[in-house]
Amino acid sequence: LVLVTGMVGVALGRTRLRPLPRLSLTLFLTGLFVAFCGAPASAVRSWAMTLVAAASHLAGRRAHPLSSASLVALVMALADPGVTGQLGYLLSVMCVCGICALGPYVGYVVGVVLARRGSRAARGRVGAALRAAGSDARQALAMTLVSQVVTAPLTCAAFGTLSLVAPLANVLLAPLFSVLLAL
């Protein structure tokens, strides 16, 4: 949904639409995308967070992802208490809240642990591209580690296993998946 929202935002950003109609159209189109996906609880939660962030922006306030996730999770649970028994909903909420709360800290730790010290850095465009790719890989690893830690109680109980290769697999496959989804 983030990729679809980004693509719609870029496409609409090139138009002469004012912010409110552009935002409304973005929410409508991404809402259609969620509906066409079958409206799973995790996608509805994500779309509703986008709606809350858009409302914050229109009200002149900065978006706060943890507050948005908490508000949306609470409203969804109050509207349909049965959603709290759905594994997809629980995993989605736990991941987002965990990433919001712990992501920056784990990202810092991963950056410190994996920082290249004393190595000769490439210069120019190639160096910038390599640094960006390294930074993206470290962020992906940090987010994967946070997600795995905060969801471990649910996944271990539901599936009886804990994946040790998930962080590495996500770092390697996330960029490829993003490109495929965009296509």
Side-chain angles (χ1 to χ4, degrees), residues 15 28 31 34 60 83 107 109 117 131 133 135-136 140 160 163 179 182:
T15 66
F28 175 74
V34 170
V83 77
V109 170
R117 291 189 175 89
R131 284 189 295 278
S135 176
D136 290 347
S163 175
V179 170

Side-chain angles (χ1 to χ4, degrees), residues 13-182:
R14 295 181 180 168
T15 66
R16 293 184 181 189
L17 289 174
R18 293 190 182 271
L20 181 59
R22 184 177 32 206
L23 191 57
S24 299
L25 191 55
T26 300
L27 290 172
F28 175 74
L29 292 174
T30 54
L32 282 178
F33 177 77
V34 170
F36 288 144
C37 290
S42 58
V44 171
R45 186 228 20 99
S46 180
W47 182 80
M49 276 185 65
T50 305
L51 183 66
V52 169
S56 297
H57 179 70
L58 290 175
R61 310 275 303 187
R62 68 177 178 88
H64 190 258
L66 184 56
S67 297
S68 298
S70 300
L71 175 67
V72 168
L74 179 62
V75 168
M76 288 180 71
L78 290 172
D80 179 14
V83 77
T84 60
Q86 295 178 13
L87 187 59
Y89 169 80
L90 294 173
L91 291 172
S92 175
V93 170
M94 289 181 76
C95 278
V96 170
C97 290
I99 287 170
C100 291
L102 303 173
Y105 303 109
V106 175
Y108 173 77
V109 170
V110 168
V112 168
V113 169
L114 298 181
R116 300 172 79 193
R117 291 189 175 89
S119 65
R120 198 167 157 166
R123 298 176 199 257
R125 289 183 183 175
V126 172
L130 289 174
R131 284 189 295 278
S135 176
D136 290 347
R138 286 190 295 274
Q139 281 302 108
L141 178 60
M143 297 308 112
T144 300
L145 290 172
V146 168
S147 296
Q148 190 161 358
V149 167
V150 299
T151 60
L154 283 176
T155 56
C156 289
F159 304 115
T161 60
L162 177 66
S163 175
L164 298 177
V165 297
L168 180 61
N170 280 340
V171 168
L172 296 174
L173 297 177
L176 176 64
F177 181 74
S178 297
V179 170
L180 291 174
L181 183 61

